[in-house]
Amino acid sequence: MTKTMIVGNWKMNGTQPVARSLAEGLVNNDIIRSAHADGVQVVCCPPFTALSLVQQTIADTPIQLGGQACHHQRQGAHTGDVSAAMLRDVGCSHVLVGHSERRRDHHESDDQVVAISIAAIDAGLVPIICVGETLEEHQQGLTRNVLQRQVGILCSALGNNLSRCVLAYEPVWAIGTGLAATAEHVETTHAYIAEVTRTHGIVIPVLYGGSANASNAEELLSSEHVNGLLVGGASLDAISFAGIVAAARRKGGASS
Ligand code: 13P
């Protein structure tokens, strides 16, 4: 059964006590803990400093762990960075790659996104690669051009390895604004992404991210081309996150 994925990106939130209590909230929530029964895969991505303790808390549950970023080199003189192997070592199965906040704050380029994805795959992680247009590009009607470029580069550079990744369409204008993209925009854009990858012979799950919450999750997930959600703000509260997971469970593992 193809899975619907719900990924919580905690971003730069959560000292150890906060992270522990959030992780306990996830583990103790029946909807989240048994989500796999309906083909829903749940991944949480805490900040680096909380990975270890969250791993200990979610151990023995189907909830999986992801890093929020990693370096493309295996090791060496890269102060402040962590490698894909380090994430694997601490129990991660996934890593976010090329999030727009990384592209903005750390100037991660399309080429670096490719290199990081390769490093992640080599280390045994599933990269969740983020793409999406800025507000300015959206207003200029350039959404498809941006996605053609971002997804096209991934297809050409990664080839069949891209099928070992997950894509996340995160329109930058919808992130943290409370203004999620409309279901219609999501449907047409995800269909376009599927068209781009298909021309390269690649089939890959595509998540949507940007102000997803318990109230709009069902509608956002209604498109056959939406294989799950990448959730920021609403993943910081176990009850809100459970509401999103519940919507995914209603969709079940039926996504393409
Ligand atoms: P919000 O859900 O807070 O808009 O964040 C989305 C996001 O960036 C997830 O990676």
Side-chain angles (χ1 to χ4, degrees), residues 84-133:
M86 289 169 180
L87 293 180
R88 191 87 181 106
D89 183 44
V90 82
C92 290
S93 51
H94 293 74
V95 61
L96 303 179
V97 181
H99 191 284
S100 59
E101 288 152 15
R102 298 289 305 175
R103 294 180 193 253
R104 181 196 66 200
D105 295 347
H106 297 273
H107 311 290
E108 278 180 12
S109 64
D110 289 333
D111 288 344
Q112 277 171 313
V113 168
V114 166
I116 295 167
S117 301
I118 292 170
I121 293 169
D122 285 350
L125 296 171
V126 176
I128 301 172
I129 310 172
C130 305
V131 295
E133 79 285 6

Side-chain angles (χ1 to χ4, degrees), residues 130-161:
C130 305
V131 295
E133 79 285 6
T134 62
L135 177 61
E136 203 179 9
E137 290 161 339
H138 180 64
Q139 287 169 337
Q140 290 172 1
L142 295 174
T143 299
R144 287 182 174 219
N145 305 53
V146 172
L147 293 171
Q148 166 67 54
R149 189 197 80 232
Q150 292 179 332
V151 179
I153 289 170
L154 292 170
C155 290
S156 326
L158 293 172
N160 277 339
N161 272 329

Side-chain angles (χ1 to χ4, degrees), residues 7-11 96 99-101 130 168 170-172 174-180 208-213 229-236 244:
V7 183
N9 175 7
W10 298 6
K11 305 193 179 184
L96 303 179
H99 191 284
S100 59
E101 288 152 15
C130 305
E170 294 210 310
V172 179
I175 296 177
T177 59
L179 298 170
Y208 166 79
S211 296
N213 58 44
L229 298 171
L230 177 51
V231 185
S235 72
L236 296 174
I244 297 170

Side-chain angles (χ1 to χ4, degrees), residues 158-174:
L158 293 172
N160 277 339
N161 272 329
L162 189 58
S163 341
R164 297 162 69 180
C165 309
V166 172
L167 283 180
Y169 170 57
E170 294 210 310
V172 179
W173 46 270

